[in-house]
Amino acid sequence: MGYYSVRRRPSKEGVETLSNLYNKLLEIEKTQGMDKGVQFVLDFLTKNNTTWDEFIINLQNKGKTGGYR
């Protein structure tokens, strides 16, 4: 397991994307439990052919063209 920390303003798209993802995850956890929530995130990453770190870094990099929050 690794650790990645960044202290920068988040991209606008990153905030919106993660907010939507979090709301969906919260809904799944409330109705189906934590295991289904974990599976949702893993399925999301697989579907998008990425890792969590790559996903977050790509969202942050979108701030270079789409602006920061």
Side-chain angles (χ1 to χ4, degrees):
M1 173 179 271
Y3 177 78
Y4 184 77
S5 177
V6 176
R7 294 186 180 185
R8 292 180 260 183
R9 291 180 298 177
S11 68
K12 291 177 184 179
E13 186 174 344
V15 171
E16 182 177 320
T17 299
L18 285 177
S19 181
N20 292 336
L21 186 66
Y22 176 75
N23 288 332
K24 180 65 176 167
L25 178 60
L26 189 59
E27 177 186 322
I28 291 169
E29 289 177 350
K30 284 181 178 179
T31 60
Q32 300 175 47
M34 291 290 292
D35 289 340
K36 292 290 185 180
V38 170
Q39 193 59 54
F40 167 74
V41 173
L42 294 174
D43 291 346
F44 172 84
L45 295 171
T46 299
K47 179 181 173 184
N48 289 284
N49 194 33
T50 192
T51 65
W52 183 257
D53 287 346
E54 290 170 341
F55 174 63
I56 297 300
I57 291 167
N58 287 335
L59 285 176
Q60 182 62 23
N61 286 337
K62 290 183 179 192
K64 295 175 184 174
T65 57
Y68 294 96
R69 187 172 165 114

